[in-house]
Amino acid sequence: MPSIKTMILAATALAAMSGLAQAQQSDADKTWTEVRIGTEGAYPPFNFLDASGKLSGFDVDIAQALCDQMKVTCTFVAQDWDGIIPALQNERFDAIIASMSITPEREKQVLFTNKYYNTAGAMAVPKDSPLTDVSDASLKGKTIGAQGSTTHAQAAETFYPDADVKIYPTAEEYKLDVANGRLDAVMDDIVVLSQWLESPDGACCKLLGTMKPDEAIYGKGAGIALRQGNEKLKTMFNEAIVAIRANGVYKTVQDKYFKFDVYGK
């Protein structure tokens, strides 16, 4: 006969599975008039808090454009990156639009739409760095910073096994450390690094190079993450992405932040 503790654990697991199944069922049947969007708010220029404390950036403006196209009301929720997928699964919001790369590992946890942009990973170093390329041999014994739970952190650990990889909760923290001489290099999206390097805060550093486009790590671009089983909302978002690409709204939003097409091939 199983112990009381075993029976309690089994009942808890069953309740969790039942709750997830009910959420998936309600998502599938729901008529969407309002969509709650989760984003980080600490990853400029894609998502950040402006001077008034309002969520802003490319992710936020694209989300609003998609909601307008779908004729639904958008509300935005700021969420720390490390807890963003659990918060989606616990129904704090309905979709993540936060520059989340579509990777095989994440596809086990969430349902992704098609990409809404796709840019390369890159590395930046201090301006006086002796490093001349992004090879594993060059970075041997060096200290590399990256934001935790990102494809860039995974790439750092995969591409540079002989380097010391330091993980940070936010991009702002690794930027401070490399500016203050505590890191030899940092890795992130090329757009994030390029815009930082053009700002006064990024005057310390320069772009060293881009990463090889390894789809097993970097995925298929940034997509919108939904709860598993929410095929209805996925279809709505996918159709809206196609529509705003065709009607020029995507380009209008893109041109506000970038000088090139971030959608990619």
Side-chain angles (χ1 to χ4, degrees), residues 24-50:
Q24 291 175 348
Q25 182 67 24
S26 63
D27 284 343
D29 295 341
K30 187 171 182 177
T31 298
W32 293 95
T33 58
E34 179 180 347
V35 179
R36 297 165 299 163
I37 307 293
T39 196
E40 184 185 14
Y43 194 60
F46 293 102
N47 56 77
F48 56 90
L49 297 173
D50 66 15

mmCIF file with all atom_site columns, all heavy atoms in Angstrom, residues 24-50:
data_model
loop_
_atom_site.group_PDB
_atom_site.id
_atom_site.type_symbol
_atom_site.label_atom_id
_atom_site.label_alt_id
_atom_site.label_comp_id
_atom_site.label_asym_id
_atom_site.label_entity_id
_atom_site.label_seq_id
_atom_site.pdbx_PDB_ins_code
_atom_site.Cartn_x
_atom_site.Cartn_y
_atom_site.Cartn_z
_atom_site.occupancy
_atom_site.B_iso_or_equiv
_atom_site.pdbx_formal_charge
_atom_site.auth_seq_id
_atom_site.auth_comp_id
_atom_site.auth_asym_id
_atom_site.auth_atom_id
_atom_site.pdbx_PDB_model_num
ATOM 1   N N   . GLN A 1 24 ? -5.683  24.607 -21.305 1.00 0.00 ? 24 GLN A N   1
ATOM 2   C CA  . GLN A 1 24 ? -5.580  24.365 -22.743 1.00 0.00 ? 24 GLN A CA  1
ATOM 3   C C   . GLN A 1 24 ? -6.958  24.302 -23.380 1.00 0.00 ? 24 GLN A C   1
ATOM 4   O O   . GLN A 1 24 ? -7.183  24.831 -24.466 1.00 0.00 ? 24 GLN A O   1
ATOM 5   C CB  . GLN A 1 24 ? -4.802  23.076 -22.999 1.00 0.00 ? 24 GLN A CB  1
ATOM 6   C CG  . GLN A 1 24 ? -3.329  23.177 -22.632 1.00 0.00 ? 24 GLN A CG  1
ATOM 7   C CD  . GLN A 1 24 ? -2.611  21.852 -22.769 1.00 0.00 ? 24 GLN A CD  1
ATOM 8   O OE1 . GLN A 1 24 ? -3.230  20.809 -22.926 1.00 0.00 ? 24 GLN A OE1 1
ATOM 9   N NE2 . GLN A 1 24 ? -1.288  21.893 -22.706 1.00 0.00 ? 24 GLN A NE2 1
ATOM 10  N N   . GLN A 1 25 ? -7.901  23.667 -22.689 1.00 0.00 ? 25 GLN A N   1
ATOM 11  C CA  . GLN A 1 25 ? -9.253  23.564 -23.217 1.00 0.00 ? 25 GLN A CA  1
ATOM 12  C C   . GLN A 1 25 ? -9.906  24.936 -23.307 1.00 0.00 ? 25 GLN A C   1
ATOM 13  O O   . GLN A 1 25 ? -10.525 25.290 -24.310 1.00 0.00 ? 25 GLN A O   1
ATOM 14  C CB  . GLN A 1 25 ? -10.095 22.647 -22.311 1.00 0.00 ? 25 GLN A CB  1
ATOM 15  C CG  . GLN A 1 25 ? -11.521 22.418 -22.800 1.00 0.00 ? 25 GLN A CG  1
ATOM 16  C CD  . GLN A 1 25 ? -11.569 21.621 -24.088 1.00 0.00 ? 25 GLN A CD  1
ATOM 17  O OE1 . GLN A 1 25 ? -10.639 20.876 -24.391 1.00 0.00 ? 25 GLN A OE1 1
ATOM 18  N NE2 . GLN A 1 25 ? -12.610 21.786 -24.870 1.00 0.00 ? 25 GLN A NE2 1
ATOM 19  N N   . SER A 1 26 ? -9.729  25.760 -22.246 1.00 0.00 ? 26 SER A N   1
ATOM 20  C CA  . SER A 1 26 ? -10.343 27.085 -22.262 1.00 0.00 ? 26 SER A CA  1
ATOM 21  C C   . SER A 1 26 ? -9.701  27.968 -23.322 1.00 0.00 ? 26 SER A C   1
ATOM 22  O O   . SER A 1 26 ? -10.370 28.753 -23.971 1.00 0.00 ? 26 SER A O   1
ATOM 23  C CB  . SER A 1 26 ? -10.238 27.735 -20.871 1.00 0.00 ? 26 SER A CB  1
ATOM 24  O OG  . SER A 1 26 ? -8.888  27.937 -20.515 1.00 0.00 ? 26 SER A OG  1
ATOM 25  N N   . ASP A 1 27 ? -8.362  27.842 -23.518 1.00 0.00 ? 27 ASP A N   1
ATOM 26  C CA  . ASP A 1 27 ? -7.685  28.598 -24.568 1.00 0.00 ? 27 ASP A CA  1
ATOM 27  C C   . ASP A 1 27 ? -8.238  28.227 -25.934 1.00 0.00 ? 27 ASP A C   1
ATOM 28  O O   . ASP A 1 27 ? -8.464  29.080 -26.791 1.00 0.00 ? 27 ASP A O   1
ATOM 29  C CB  . ASP A 1 27 ? -6.181  28.303 -24.545 1.00 0.00 ? 27 ASP A CB  1
ATOM 30  C CG  . ASP A 1 27 ? -5.455  29.013 -23.409 1.00 0.00 ? 27 ASP A CG  1
ATOM 31  O OD1 . ASP A 1 27 ? -6.018  29.971 -22.846 1.00 0.00 ? 27 ASP A OD1 1
ATOM 32  O OD2 . ASP A 1 27 ? -4.327  28.604 -23.083 1.00 0.00 ? 27 ASP A OD2 1
ATOM 33  N N   . ALA A 1 28 ? -8.446  26.926 -26.154 1.00 0.00 ? 28 ALA A N   1
ATOM 34  C CA  . ALA A 1 28 ? -8.896  26.445 -27.460 1.00 0.00 ? 28 ALA A CA  1
ATOM 35  C C   . ALA A 1 28 ? -10.308 26.925 -27.782 1.00 0.00 ? 28 ALA A C   1
ATOM 36  O O   . ALA A 1 28 ? -10.633 27.213 -28.941 1.00 0.00 ? 28 ALA A O   1
ATOM 37  C CB  . ALA A 1 28 ? -8.839  24.917 -27.495 1.00 0.00 ? 28 ALA A CB  1
ATOM 38  N N   . ASP A 1 29 ? -11.144 27.044 -26.756 1.00 0.00 ? 29 ASP A N   1
ATOM 39  C CA  . ASP A 1 29 ? -12.551 27.399 -26.969 1.00 0.00 ? 29 ASP A CA  1
ATOM 40  C C   . ASP A 1 29 ? -12.824 28.897 -26.877 1.00 0.00 ? 29 ASP A C   1
ATOM 41  O O   . ASP A 1 29 ? -13.905 29.359 -27.252 1.00 0.00 ? 29 ASP A O   1
ATOM 42  C CB  . ASP A 1 29 ? -13.434 26.689 -25.926 1.00 0.00 ? 29 ASP A CB  1
ATOM 43  C CG  . ASP A 1 29 ? -13.416 25.181 -26.098 1.00 0.00 ? 29 ASP A CG  1
ATOM 44  O OD1 . ASP A 1 29 ? -13.043 24.717 -27.195 1.00 0.00 ? 29 ASP A OD1 1
ATOM 45  O OD2 . ASP A 1 29 ? -13.747 24.470 -25.141 1.00 0.00 ? 29 ASP A OD2 1
ATOM 46  N N   . LYS A 1 30 ? -11.859 29.653 -26.405 1.00 0.00 ? 30 LYS A N   1
ATOM 47  C CA  . LYS A 1 30 ? -12.099 31.052 -26.069 1.00 0.00 ? 30 LYS A CA  1
ATOM 48  C C   . LYS A 1 30 ? -12.295 31.929 -27.303 1.00 0.00 ? 30 LYS A C   1
ATOM 49  O O   . LYS A 1 30 ? -11.645 31.737 -28.326 1.00 0.00 ? 30 LYS A O   1
ATOM 50  C CB  . LYS A 1 30 ? -10.903 31.571 -25.256 1.00 0.00 ? 30 LYS A CB  1
ATOM 51  C CG  . LYS A 1 30 ? -11.086 32.973 -24.696 1.00 0.00 ? 30 LYS A CG  1
ATOM 52  C CD  . LYS A 1 30 ? -9.956  33.296 -23.737 1.00 0.00 ? 30 LYS A CD  1
ATOM 53  C CE  . LYS A 1 30 ? -10.133 34.669 -23.122 1.00 0.00 ? 30 LYS A CE  1
ATOM 54  N NZ  . LYS A 1 30 ? -9.059  34.946 -22.136 1.00 0.00 ? 30 LYS A NZ  1
ATOM 55  N N   . THR A 1 31 ? -13.210 32.893 -27.182 1.00 0.00 ? 31 THR A N   1
ATOM 56  C CA  . THR A 1 31 ? -13.329 33.953 -28.179 1.00 0.00 ? 31 THR A CA  1
ATOM 57  C C   . THR A 1 31 ? -12.454 35.103 -27.691 1.00 0.00 ? 31 THR A C   1
ATOM 58  O O   . THR A 1 31 ? -12.732 35.720 -26.662 1.00 0.00 ? 31 THR A O   1
ATOM 59  C CB  . THR A 1 31 ? -14.788 34.420 -28.316 1.00 0.00 ? 31 THR A CB  1
ATOM 60  O OG1 . THR A 1 31 ? -15.580 33.312 -28.762 1.00 0.00 ? 31 THR A OG1 1
ATOM 61  C CG2 . THR A 1 31 ? -14.897 35.560 -29.316 1.00 0.00 ? 31 THR A CG2 1
ATOM 62  N N   . TRP A 1 32 ? -11.389 35.368 -28.422 1.00 0.00 ? 32 TRP A N   1
ATOM 63  C CA  . TRP A 1 32 ? -10.387 36.316 -27.948 1.00 0.00 ? 32 TRP A CA  1
ATOM 64  C C   . TRP A 1 32 ? -10.790 37.752 -28.281 1.00 0.00 ? 32 TRP A C   1
ATOM 65  O O   . TRP A 1 32 ? -10.837 38.136 -29.430 1.00 0.00 ? 32 TRP A O   1
ATOM 66  C CB  . TRP A 1 32 ? -9.025  36.007 -28.558 1.00 0.00 ? 32 TRP A CB  1
ATOM 67  C CG  . TRP A 1 32 ? -8.463  34.705 -28.073 1.00 0.00 ? 32 TRP A CG  1
ATOM 68  C CD1 . TRP A 1 32 ? -8.567  33.489 -28.673 1.00 0.00 ? 32 TRP A CD1 1
ATOM 69  C CD2 . TRP A 1 32 ? -7.748  34.495 -26.853 1.00 0.00 ? 32 TRP A CD2 1
ATOM 70  N NE1 . TRP A 1 32 ? -7.955  32.531 -27.910 1.00 0.00 ? 32 TRP A NE1 1
ATOM 71  C CE2 . TRP A 1 32 ? -7.434  33.114 -26.791 1.00 0.00 ? 32 TRP A CE2 1
ATOM 72  C CE3 . TRP A 1 32 ? -7.316  35.327 -25.821 1.00 0.00 ? 32 TRP A CE3 1
ATOM 73  C CZ2 . TRP A 1 32 ? -6.714  32.554 -25.737 1.00 0.00 ? 32 TRP A CZ2 1
ATOM 74  C CZ3 . TRP A 1 32 ? -6.612  34.778 -24.764 1.00 0.00 ? 32 TRP A CZ3 1
ATOM 75  C CH2 . TRP A 1 32 ? -6.317  33.410 -24.730 1.00 0.00 ? 32 TRP A CH2 1
ATOM 76  N N   . THR A 1 33 ? -11.074 38.528 -27.246 1.00 0.00 ? 33 THR A N   1
ATOM 77  C CA  . THR A 1 33 ? -11.346 39.960 -27.400 1.00 0.00 ? 33 THR A CA  1
ATOM 78  C C   . THR A 1 33 ? -10.281 40.782 -26.680 1.00 0.00 ? 33 THR A C   1
ATOM 79  O O   . THR A 1 33 ? -10.093 41.952 -26.965 1.00 0.00 ? 33 THR A O   1
ATOM 80  C CB  . THR A 1 33 ? -12.725 40.326 -26.830 1.00 0.00 ? 33 THR A CB  1
ATOM 81  O OG1 . THR A 1 33 ? -12.783 39.946 -25.451 1.00 0.00 ? 33 THR A OG1 1
ATOM 82  C CG2 . THR A 1 33 ? -13.835 39.621 -27.604 1.00 0.00 ? 33 THR A CG2 1
ATOM 83  N N   . GLU A 1 34 ? -9.583  40.155 -25.735 1.00 0.00 ? 34 GLU A N   1
ATOM 84  C CA  . GLU A 1 34 ? -8.482  40.799 -25.018 1.00 0.00 ? 34 GLU A CA  1
ATOM 85  C C   . GLU A 1 34 ? -7.344  39.795 -24.877 1.00 0.00 ? 34 GLU A C   1
ATOM 86  O O   . GLU A 1 34 ? -7.571  38.633 -24.550 1.00 0.00 ? 34 GLU A O   1
ATOM 87  C CB  . GLU A 1 34 ? -8.921  41.264 -23.627 1.00 0.00 ? 34 GLU A CB  1
ATOM 88  C CG  . GLU A 1 34 ? -7.804  41.919 -22.830 1.00 0.00 ? 34 GLU A CG  1
ATOM 89  C CD  . GLU A 1 34 ? -8.230  42.383 -21.443 1.00 0.00 ? 34 GLU A CD  1
ATOM 90  O OE1 . GLU A 1 34 ? -9.443  42.423 -21.194 1.00 0.00 ? 34 GLU A OE1 1
ATOM 91  O OE2 . GLU A 1 34 ? -7.345  42.677 -20.630 1.00 0.00 ? 34 GLU A OE2 1
ATOM 92  N N   . VAL A 1 35 ? -6.128  40.243 -25.139 1.00 0.00 ? 35 VAL A N   1
ATOM 93  C CA  . VAL A 1 35 ? -4.949  39.387 -25.005 1.00 0.00 ? 35 VAL A CA  1
ATOM 94  C C   . VAL A 1 35 ? -3.955  40.079 -24.077 1.00 0.00 ? 35 VAL A C   1
ATOM 95  O O   . VAL A 1 35 ? -3.570  41.226 -24.307 1.00 0.00 ? 35 VAL A O   1
ATOM 96  C CB  . VAL A 1 35 ? -4.289  39.107 -26.370 1.00 0.00 ? 35 VAL A CB  1
ATOM 97  C CG1 . VAL A 1 35 ? -3.054  38.225 -26.198 1.00 0.00 ? 35 VAL A CG1 1
ATOM 98  C CG2 . VAL A 1 35 ? -5.273  38.446 -27.326 1.00 0.00 ? 35 VAL A CG2 1
ATOM 99  N N   . ARG A 1 36 ? -3.567  39.375 -23.037 1.00 0.00 ? 36 ARG A N   1
ATOM 100 C CA  . ARG A 1 36 ? -2.576  39.901 -22.096 1.00 0.00 ? 36 ARG A CA  1
ATOM 101 C C   . ARG A 1 36 ? -1.187  39.491 -22.585 1.00 0.00 ? 36 ARG A C   1
ATOM 102 O O   . ARG A 1 36 ? -0.921  38.303 -22.772 1.00 0.00 ? 36 ARG A O   1
ATOM 103 C CB  . ARG A 1 36 ? -2.848  39.363 -20.694 1.00 0.00 ? 36 ARG A CB  1
ATOM 104 C CG  . ARG A 1 36 ? -4.188  39.784 -20.105 1.00 0.00 ? 36 ARG A CG  1
ATOM 105 C CD  . ARG A 1 36 ? -4.541  38.931 -18.903 1.00 0.00 ? 36 ARG A CD  1
ATOM 106 N NE  . ARG A 1 36 ? -4.652  37.516 -19.288 1.00 0.00 ? 36 ARG A NE  1
ATOM 107 C CZ  . ARG A 1 36 ? -4.628  36.502 -18.422 1.00 0.00 ? 36 ARG A CZ  1
ATOM 108 N NH1 . ARG A 1 36 ? -4.475  36.740 -17.125 1.00 0.00 ? 36 ARG A NH1 1
ATOM 109 N NH2 . ARG A 1 36 ? -4.750  35.254 -18.847 1.00 0.00 ? 36 ARG A NH2 1
ATOM 110 N N   . ILE A 1 37 ? -0.329  40.477 -22.771 1.00 0.00 ? 37 ILE A N   1
ATOM 111 C CA  . ILE A 1 37 ? 0.999   40.254 -23.331 1.00 0.00 ? 37 ILE A CA  1
ATOM 112 C C   . ILE A 1 37 ? 2.053   40.388 -22.235 1.00 0.00 ? 37 ILE A C   1
ATOM 113 O O   . ILE A 1 37 ? 2.143   41.414 -21.573 1.00 0.00 ? 37 ILE A O   1
ATOM 114 C CB  . ILE A 1 37 ? 1.322   41.284 -24.435 1.00 0.00 ? 37 ILE A CB  1
ATOM 115 C CG1 . ILE A 1 37 ? 0.215   41.322 -25.505 1.00 0.00 ? 37 ILE A CG1 1
ATOM 116 C CG2 . ILE A 1 37 ? 2.686   41.004 -25.043 1.00 0.00 ? 37 ILE A CG2 1
ATOM 117 C CD1 . ILE A 1 37 ? 0.088   40.077 -26.329 1.00 0.00 ? 37 ILE A CD1 1
ATOM 118 N N   . GLY A 1 38 ? 2.860   39.358 -22.064 1.00 0.00 ? 38 GLY A N   1
ATOM 119 C CA  . GLY A 1 38 ? 3.980   39.413 -21.128 1.00 0.00 ? 38 GLY A CA  1
ATOM 120 C C   . GLY A 1 38 ? 5.259   39.795 -21.850 1.00 0.00 ? 38 GLY A C   1
ATOM 121 O O   . GLY A 1 38 ? 5.557   39.261 -22.921 1.00 0.00 ? 38 GLY A O   1
ATOM 122 N N   . THR A 1 39 ? 6.016   40.735 -21.288 1.00 0.00 ? 39 THR A N   1
ATOM 123 C CA  . THR A 1 39 ? 7.313   41.108 -21.853 1.00 0.00 ? 39 THR A CA  1
ATOM 124 C C   . THR A 1 39 ? 8.233   41.506 -20.715 1.00 0.00 ? 39 THR A C   1
ATOM 125 O O   . THR A 1 39 ? 7.775   41.750 -19.587 1.00 0.00 ? 39 THR A O   1
ATOM 126 C CB  . THR A 1 39 ? 7.169   42.229 -22.901 1.00 0.00 ? 39 THR A CB  1
ATOM 127 O OG1 . THR A 1 39 ? 8.354   42.314 -23.690 1.00 0.00 ? 39 THR A OG1 1
ATOM 128 C CG2 . THR A 1 39 ? 6.864   43.574 -22.251 1.00 0.00 ? 39 THR A CG2 1
ATOM 129 N N   . GLU A 1 40 ? 9.535   41.562 -20.995 1.00 0.00 ? 40 GLU A N   1
ATOM 130 C CA  . GLU A 1 40 ? 10.498  41.759 -19.904 1.00 0.00 ? 40 GLU A CA  1
ATOM 131 C C   . GLU A 1 40 ? 10.613  43.212 -19.460 1.00 0.00 ? 40 GLU A C   1
ATOM 132 O O   . GLU A 1 40 ? 10.621  43.513 -18.276 1.00 0.00 ? 40 GLU A O   1
ATOM 133 C CB  . GLU A 1 40 ? 11.872  41.233 -20.328 1.00 0.00 ? 40 GLU A CB  1
ATOM 134 C CG  . GLU A 1 40 ? 12.903  41.314 -19.221 1.00 0.00 ? 40 GLU A CG  1
ATOM 135 C CD  . GLU A 1 40 ? 14.286  40.900 -19.686 1.00 0.00 ? 40 GLU A CD  1
ATOM 136 O OE1 . GLU A 1 40 ? 14.518  40.806 -20.910 1.00 0.00 ? 40 GLU A OE1 1
ATOM 137 O OE2 . GLU A 1 40 ? 15.154  40.706 -18.811 1.00 0.00 ? 40 GLU A OE2 1
ATOM 138 N N   . GLY A 1 41 ? 10.772  44.122 -20.413 1.00 0.00 ? 41 GLY A N   1
ATOM 139 C CA  . GLY A 1 41 ? 10.944  45.530 -20.057 1.00 0.00 ? 41 GLY A CA  1
ATOM 140 C C   . GLY A 1 41 ? 12.369  45.896 -19.682 1.00 0.00 ? 41 GLY A C   1
ATOM 141 O O   . GLY A 1 41 ? 12.610  46.946 -19.085 1.00 0.00 ? 41 GLY A O   1
ATOM 142 N N   . ALA A 1 42 ? 13.342  45.021 -20.032 1.00 0.00 ? 42 ALA A N   1
ATOM 143 C CA  . ALA A 1 42 ? 14.745  45.298 -19.680 1.00 0.00 ? 42 ALA A CA  1
ATOM 144 C C   . ALA A 1 42 ? 15.684  44.876 -20.792 1.00 0.00 ? 42 ALA A C   1
ATOM 145 O O   . ALA A 1 42 ? 16.815  44.471 -20.537 1.00 0.00 ? 42 ALA A O   1
ATOM 146 C CB  . ALA A 1 42 ? 15.106  44.566 -18.383 1.00 0.00 ? 42 ALA A CB  1
ATOM 147 N N   . TYR A 1 43 ? 15.219  44.977 -22.055 1.00 0.00 ? 43 TYR A N   1
ATOM 148 C CA  . TYR A 1 43 ? 16.014  44.490 -23.178 1.00 0.00 ? 43 TYR A CA  1
ATOM 149 C C   . TYR A 1 43 ? 15.903  45.466 -24.348 1.00 0.00 ? 43 TYR A C   1
ATOM 150 O O   . TYR A 1 43 ? 15.360  45.156 -25.395 1.00 0.00 ? 43 TYR A O   1
ATOM 151 C CB  . TYR A 1 43 ? 15.493  43.095 -23.576 1.00 0.00 ? 43 TYR A CB  1
ATOM 152 C CG  . TYR A 1 43 ? 16.406  42.305 -24.490 1.00 0.00 ? 43 TYR A CG  1
ATOM 153 C CD1 . TYR A 1 43 ? 17.694  41.966 -24.103 1.00 0.00 ? 43 TYR A CD1 1
ATOM 154 C CD2 . TYR A 1 43 ? 15.952  41.871 -25.732 1.00 0.00 ? 43 TYR A CD2 1
ATOM 155 C CE1 . TYR A 1 43 ? 18.511  41.221 -24.925 1.00 0.00 ? 43 TYR A CE1 1
ATOM 156 C CE2 . TYR A 1 43 ? 16.766  41.121 -26.571 1.00 0.00 ? 43 TYR A CE2 1
ATOM 157 C CZ  . TYR A 1 43 ? 18.044  40.802 -26.165 1.00 0.00 ? 43 TYR A CZ  1
ATOM 158 O OH  . TYR A 1 43 ? 18.854  40.062 -26.980 1.00 0.00 ? 43 TYR A OH  1
ATOM 159 N N   . PRO A 1 44 ? 16.409  46.696 -24.159 1.00 0.00 ? 44 PRO A N   1
ATOM 160 C CA  . PRO A 1 44 ? 16.313  47.696 -25.229 1.00 0.00 ? 44 PRO A CA  1
ATOM 161 C C   . PRO A 1 44 ? 17.160  47.309 -26.435 1.00 0.00 ? 44 PRO A C   1
ATOM 162 O O   . PRO A 1 44 ? 18.202  46.657 -26.270 1.00 0.00 ? 44 PRO A O   1
ATOM 163 C CB  . PRO A 1 44 ? 16.864  48.963 -24.556 1.00 0.00 ? 44 PRO A CB  1
ATOM 164 C CG  . PRO A 1 44 ? 17.774  48.464 -23.471 1.00 0.00 ? 44 PRO A CG  1
ATOM 165 C CD  . PRO A 1 44 ? 17.118  47.190 -22.976 1.00 0.00 ? 44 PRO A CD  1
ATOM 166 N N   . PRO A 1 45 ? 16.724  47.642 -27.655 1.00 0.00 ? 45 PRO A N   1
ATOM 167 C CA  . PRO A 1 45 ? 15.549  48.454 -28.004 1.00 0.00 ? 45 PRO A CA  1
ATOM 168 C C   . PRO A 1 45 ? 14.265  47.632 -28.189 1.00 0.00 ? 45 PRO A C   1
ATOM 169 O O   . PRO A 1 45 ? 13.242  48.148 -28.613 1.00 0.00 ? 45 PRO A O   1
ATOM 170 C CB  . PRO A 1 45 ? 15.959  49.063 -29.337 1.00 0.00 ? 45 PRO A CB  1
ATOM 171 C CG  . PRO A 1 45 ? 16.762  47.979 -29.984 1.00 0.00 ? 45 PRO A CG  1
ATOM 172 C CD  . PRO A 1 45 ? 17.526  47.316 -28.871 1.00 0.00 ? 45 PRO A CD  1
ATOM 173 N N   . PHE A 1 46 ? 14.328  46.326 -27.863 1.00 0.00 ? 46 PHE A N   1
ATOM 174 C CA  . PHE A 1 46 ? 13.167  45.470 -28.107 1.00 0.00 ? 46 PHE A CA  1
ATOM 175 C C   . PHE A 1 46 ? 12.074  45.655 -27.063 1.00 0.00 ? 46 PHE A C   1
ATOM 176 O O   . PHE A 1 46 ? 10.886  45.705 -27.398 1.00 0.00 ? 46 PHE A O   1
ATOM 177 C CB  . PHE A 1 46 ? 13.608  44.006 -28.198 1.00 0.00 ? 46 PHE A CB  1
ATOM 178 C CG  . PHE A 1 46 ? 14.468  43.729 -29.400 1.00 0.00 ? 46 PHE A CG  1
ATOM 179 C CD1 . PHE A 1 46 ? 15.835  43.603 -29.286 1.00 0.00 ? 46 PHE A CD1 1
ATOM 180 C CD2 . PHE A 1 46 ? 13.900  43.633 -30.654 1.00 0.00 ? 46 PHE A CD2 1
ATOM 181 C CE1 . PHE A 1 46 ? 16.629  43.364 -30.402 1.00 0.00 ? 46 PHE A CE1 1
ATOM 182 C CE2 . PHE A 1 46 ? 14.672  43.394 -31.782 1.00 0.00 ? 46 PHE A CE2 1
ATOM 183 C CZ  . PHE A 1 46 ? 16.046  43.265 -31.655 1.00 0.00 ? 46 PHE A CZ  1
ATOM 184 N N   . ASN A 1 47 ? 12.457  45.731 -25.799 1.00 0.00 ? 47 ASN A N   1
ATOM 185 C CA  . ASN A 1 47 ? 11.469  46.036 -24.760 1.00 0.00 ? 47 ASN A CA  1
ATOM 186 C C   . ASN A 1 47 ? 12.177  46.706 -23.591 1.00 0.00 ? 47 ASN A C   1
ATOM 187 O O   . ASN A 1 47 ? 13.263  46.302 -23.202 1.00 0.00 ? 47 ASN A O   1
ATOM 188 C CB  . ASN A 1 47 ? 10.693  44.782 -24.321 1.00 0.00 ? 47 ASN A CB  1
ATOM 189 C CG  . ASN A 1 47 ? 11.593  43.665 -23.832 1.00 0.00 ? 47 ASN A CG  1
ATOM 190 O OD1 . ASN A 1 47 ? 12.103  43.706 -22.700 1.00 0.00 ? 47 ASN A OD1 1
ATOM 191 N ND2 . ASN A 1 47 ? 11.807  42.647 -24.670 1.00 0.00 ? 47 ASN A ND2 1
ATOM 192 N N   . PHE A 1 48 ? 11.571  47.781 -23.082 1.00 0.00 ? 48 PHE A N   1
ATOM 193 C CA  . PHE A 1 48 ? 12.184  48.547 -21.995 1.00 0.00 ? 48 PHE A CA  1
ATOM 194 C C   . PHE A 1 48 ? 11.118  49.437 -21.365 1.00 0.00 ? 48 PHE A C   1
ATOM 195 O O   . PHE A 1 48 ? 10.015  49.602 -21.909 1.00 0.00 ? 48 PHE A O   1
ATOM 196 C CB  . PHE A 1 48 ? 13.346  49.401 -22.505 1.00 0.00 ? 48 PHE A CB  1
ATOM 197 C CG  . PHE A 1 48 ? 12.974  50.355 -23.622 1.00 0.00 ? 48 PHE A CG  1
ATOM 198 C CD1 . PHE A 1 48 ? 12.544  51.646 -23.345 1.00 0.00 ? 48 PHE A CD1 1
ATOM 199 C CD2 . PHE A 1 48 ? 13.032  49.953 -24.953 1.00 0.00 ? 48 PHE A CD2 1
ATOM 200 C CE1 . PHE A 1 48 ? 12.193  52.531 -24.374 1.00 0.00 ? 48 PHE A CE1 1
ATOM 201 C CE2 . PHE A 1 48 ? 12.688  50.821 -25.986 1.00 0.00 ? 48 PHE A CE2 1
ATOM 202 C CZ  . PHE A 1 48 ? 12.271  52.108 -25.697 1.00 0.00 ? 48 PHE A CZ  1
ATOM 203 N N   . LEU A 1 49 ? 11.445  49.988 -20.213 1.00 0.00 ? 49 LEU A N   1
ATOM 204 C CA  . LEU A 1 49 ? 10.569  50.952 -19.553 1.00 0.00 ? 49 LEU A CA  1
ATOM 205 C C   . LEU A 1 49 ? 11.042  52.351 -19.919 1.00 0.00 ? 49 LEU A C   1
ATOM 206 O O   . LEU A 1 49 ? 12.220  52.675 -19.737 1.00 0.00 ? 49 LEU A O   1
ATOM 207 C CB  . LEU A 1 49 ? 10.598  50.759 -18.038 1.00 0.00 ? 49 LEU A CB  1
ATOM 208 C CG  . LEU A 1 49 ? 10.076  49.418 -17.518 1.00 0.00 ? 49 LEU A CG  1
ATOM 209 C CD1 . LEU A 1 49 ? 10.316  49.299 -16.021 1.00 0.00 ? 49 LEU A CD1 1
ATOM 210 C CD2 . LEU A 1 49 ? 8.589   49.266 -17.816 1.00 0.00 ? 49 LEU A CD2 1
ATOM 211 N N   . ASP A 1 50 ? 10.135  53.181 -20.445 1.00 0.00 ? 50 ASP A N   1
ATOM 212 C CA  . ASP A 1 50 ? 10.532  54.537 -20.817 1.00 0.00 ? 50 ASP A CA  1
ATOM 213 C C   . ASP A 1 50 ? 10.607  55.425 -19.572 1.00 0.00 ? 50 ASP A C   1
ATOM 214 O O   . ASP A 1 50 ? 10.448  54.955 -18.437 1.00 0.00 ? 50 ASP A O   1
ATOM 215 C CB  . ASP A 1 50 ? 9.593   55.107 -21.888 1.00 0.00 ? 50 ASP A CB  1
ATOM 216 C CG  . ASP A 1 50 ? 8.169   55.331 -21.391 1.00 0.00 ? 50 ASP A CG  1
ATOM 217 O OD1 . ASP A 1 50 ? 7.938   55.331 -20.154 1.00 0.00 ? 50 ASP A OD1 1
ATOM 218 O OD2 . ASP A 1 50 ? 7.273   55.524 -22.237 1.00 0.00 ? 50 ASP A OD2 1
#
